[in-house]
Amino acid sequence: MPGTLVLACPDWETRLRQGRSLVPDGARGINDREAARAIAIFDRLRLPDVVGLPLLAEAAGDWFREIVGVLLGAIDAGSGERLIRELFLLAPKKSAKTSYGAAMMLTALLMNKRPRAEFLLIAPTQAISELAFAQAAGMVSCDDGFLQKRCHVQEHLKTITDRRTKAQLKIKTFDTSVL
């Protein structure tokens, strides 16, 4: 698709070992204001399954915060079109990846301006799907009240609806038997 931004880093392993960014240089600075807004929202979310319910500002790695900023800040200034529509995330620890992914998708839902938009977090297994939903729903429930008022959590559907825009975050399992 023309204008689509690609975040692929074939040299990711080398970059990690050298302490370098996992975001390609050409992907930076798309919309710095939206990127900063995304990181600010992400940082205010809490980890619901950690003692003390730490903010992601304290608990999340800078490497992931950078991905959040680039992904959610990748909006063409002229057209308003989103330049990144999908992200395949592979991280060393399953629980960190699941928590961070849930937080990033909740951040996307909160930043969204489009009425009745649909956001999908697709997990490879039912267990990871359930964990991701538990993390996202937990982030809503352990908030000081803002998220609880803004978001409607439907446990049986694994769906979180933004009451303001009616947009939905759905967490699903990618079942290989469907293939």
Side-chain angles (χ1 to χ4, degrees):
M1 171 166 32
T4 299
L5 184 63
V6 177
L7 289 180
C9 268
D11 63 340
W12 64 269
E13 191 172 4
T14 303
R15 286 174 174 255
L16 277 177
R17 288 195 173 131
Q18 295 174 350
R20 293 173 40 217
S21 172
L22 293 177
V23 176
D25 294 334
R28 299 175 196 285
I30 301 301
N31 186 324
D32 291 333
R33 196 179 108 234
E34 284 297 295
R37 181 173 167 242
I39 293 167
I41 292 169
F42 178 85
D43 280 348
R44 285 189 211 117
L45 298 174
R46 295 186 176 275
L47 286 177
D49 62 344
V50 176
V51 174
L53 305 173
L55 293 168
L56 283 169
E58 304 159 3
D62 289 335
W63 66 273
F64 196 81
R65 197 173 282 105
E66 184 178 31
I67 290 171
V68 168
V70 170
L71 176 70
L72 298 177
I75 299 171
D76 182 88
S79 68
E81 183 180 351
R82 182 156 297 286
L83 300 175
I84 303 172
R85 295 181 183 270
E86 296 178 2
L87 176 70
F88 176 74
L89 179 62
L90 179 62
K93 292 184 179 177
K94 180 172 32 173
S95 62
K97 174 178 63 175
T98 305
S99 298
Y100 286 4
M104 179 168 50
M105 292 306 294
L106 187 55
T107 300
L109 179 71
L110 295 169
M111 290 183 68
N112 173 59
K113 296 175 185 167
R114 186 167 58 96
R116 302 190 182 280
E118 182 177 65
F119 294 85
L120 294 174
L121 189 158
I122 302 172
T125 66
Q126 184 68 24
I128 294 173
S129 175
E130 289 173 9
L131 177 59
F133 180 77
Q135 291 297 90
M139 289 171 193
V140 170
S141 70
C142 70
D143 183 66
D144 61 4
F146 171 78
L147 290 180
Q148 290 179 26
K149 290 177 187 167
R150 182 158 172 190
C151 297
H152 175 63
V153 177
Q154 295 170 284
E155 303 263 347
H156 65 293
L157 298 174
K158 287 191 195 145
T159 300
I160 299 174
T161 303
D162 182 333
R163 287 186 168 107
R164 190 180 306 170
T165 63
K166 305 297 185 224
Q168 294 184 325
L169 167 58
K170 296 179 179 182
I171 300 176
K172 299 184 175 203
T173 304
F174 178 78
D175 186 352
T176 54
S177 67
V178 173
L179 296 175

